[in-house]
Amino acid sequence: MRKLIFPVFFTVGVLMLFSLTGYAQTSRKRISAAEANGTFRMDFEHKYRDLFNEIKILVLGGGKLRFAMDLINPYTLPDGEITGHLGKLDGEAVISGDTAIYRSSEFGPCRITIKFVRRGAIKVTQSGSDADCGFGRNVFSTGTYRKVSGKKPTFDSE
């Protein structure tokens, strides 16, 4: 019986190790323009399910990409009407590998990181407050967004 315990535990341990490494997020050396270009959305749930945050991305080349964010922090008024605070940002980010970083000090220290985690999805993290990034009250870009269009986006200022 003892002779069987070690091989069983060893096999289970090896399988667990391989399964964990298969799910770990790894950084990629680069992503294609086709993967990056497009429109990404993060949908809200429940009573706000018709609302979403949206990010448009266009690879410019030379290690840069252009992006535009349309963000909202939805809430319900006492009379039941749904409204929200808004945030907009249009800028250029420096991309290295699968991660793009935007920095600004216009309103305060704002850093937005866009990581292409897998084909059709980005994970955005924001360092800096809503005000530091020029957004409305409690508006943040942080979250996981899914690609809804692969077309090259157009921007309001074009």
Side-chain angles (χ1 to χ4, degrees):
M1 179 71 166
R2 273 194 172 167
K3 290 181 182 180
L4 288 176
I5 290 175
F6 178 74
V8 169
F9 280 117
F10 179 78
T11 303
V12 169
V14 168
L15 289 174
M16 287 177 62
L17 178 66
F18 283 119
S19 67
L20 290 175
T21 58
Y23 289 109
Q25 278 186 4
T26 58
S27 292
R28 297 177 283 164
K29 290 186 179 182
R30 71 178 274 192
I31 58 160
S32 68
E35 182 180 350
N37 289 340
T39 303
F40 297 80
R41 286 188 181 163
M42 181 178 70
D43 296 315
F44 290 97
E45 296 179 343
H46 308 297
K47 65 181 174 181
Y48 305 120
R49 68 181 169 272
D50 294 333
L51 301 174
F52 52 84
N53 285 343
E54 184 173 85
I55 301 175
K56 295 177 181 179
I57 298 175
L58 179 65
V59 174
L60 300 175
K64 292 187 179 183
L65 58 81
R66 181 172 179 191
F67 70 94
M69 296 181 167
D70 284 311
L71 310 171
I72 187 168
N73 171 40
Y75 63 94
T76 306
L77 295 173
D79 66 0
E81 182 181 348
I82 294 176
T83 188
H85 297 288
L86 303 177
K88 285 187 169 285
L89 180 60
D90 191 334
E92 286 186 12
V94 175
I95 186 165
S96 177
D98 60 0
T99 304
I101 298 175
Y102 166 83
R103 288 185 175 91
S104 174
S105 57
E106 182 178 359
F107 304 106
C110 176
R111 176 181 161 148
I112 295 176
T113 303
I114 302 170
K115 181 167 177 68
F116 294 85
V117 291
R118 64 181 176 279
R119 194 167 275 287
I122 58 174
K123 184 173 183 176
V124 178
T125 53
Q126 177 179 323
S127 299
S129 71
D130 48 2
D132 290 340
C133 293
F135 302 151
R137 184 175 176 213
N138 292 324
V139 176
F140 291 91
S141 60
T142 298
T144 301
Y145 294 68
R146 65 180 168 76
K147 193 172 205 175
V148 295
S149 173
K151 292 181 183 177
K152 286 185 178 181
T154 57
F155 298 90
D156 292 338
S157 60
E158 289 182 343

